[in-house]
Amino acid sequence: MERVSGSMFLPSAQQVQCNGLTFPVLRWGPVSGRPVLLLHGFPQEPLTWAPVAEELAREGFHVIAPSQRGYCSGNQPAQPGGYNFGHFVQDVVA
């Protein structure tokens, strides 16, 4: 977690591998905080949540916002059938 002027929190970035794909993940707030998972819609991205995530981080929550399946080169399934609700749920649970 990084503080800048106005006590705004900047996200940290990491890569998470699951279900044979690599997902970029943004995190805000203390790791010891209660986790909150924020999932973007189509055609958005994890940074869509930045204003909400910053507020939650200020309140002590650990905010996690992954890039969902198909939104970057590392997490695009090879088969067209790899994009269904069941797969999205499996990714989030993993």
Side-chain angles (χ1 to χ4, degrees):
M1 180 169 59
E2 192 175 329
R3 271 190 188 259
V4 294
S5 62
S7 59
M8 178 184 293
F9 293 98
L10 295 177
S12 62
Q14 72 179 94
Q15 302 281 323
V16 174
Q17 294 198 4
C18 67
N19 299 326
L21 302 172
T22 302
F23 296 85
V25 176
L26 296 179
R27 295 177 179 261
W28 290 260
V31 176
S32 61
R34 185 173 178 188
V36 175
L37 182 64
L38 300 177
L39 301 174
H40 64 81
F42 177 81
Q44 298 167 328
E45 62 178 352
L47 275 176
T48 301
W49 289 111
V52 172
E54 290 165 3
E55 287 298 319
L56 289 168
R58 281 189 194 99
E59 296 296 322
F61 290 94
H62 179 198
V63 181
I64 305 157
S67 178
Q68 295 199 62
R69 178 179 285 251
Y71 280 81
C72 65
S73 61
N75 65 13
Q76 293 176 347
Q79 309 299 336
Y83 297 92
N84 65 48
F85 190 72
H87 286 117
F88 288 111
V89 171
Q90 289 172 1
D91 294 341
V92 171
V93 170

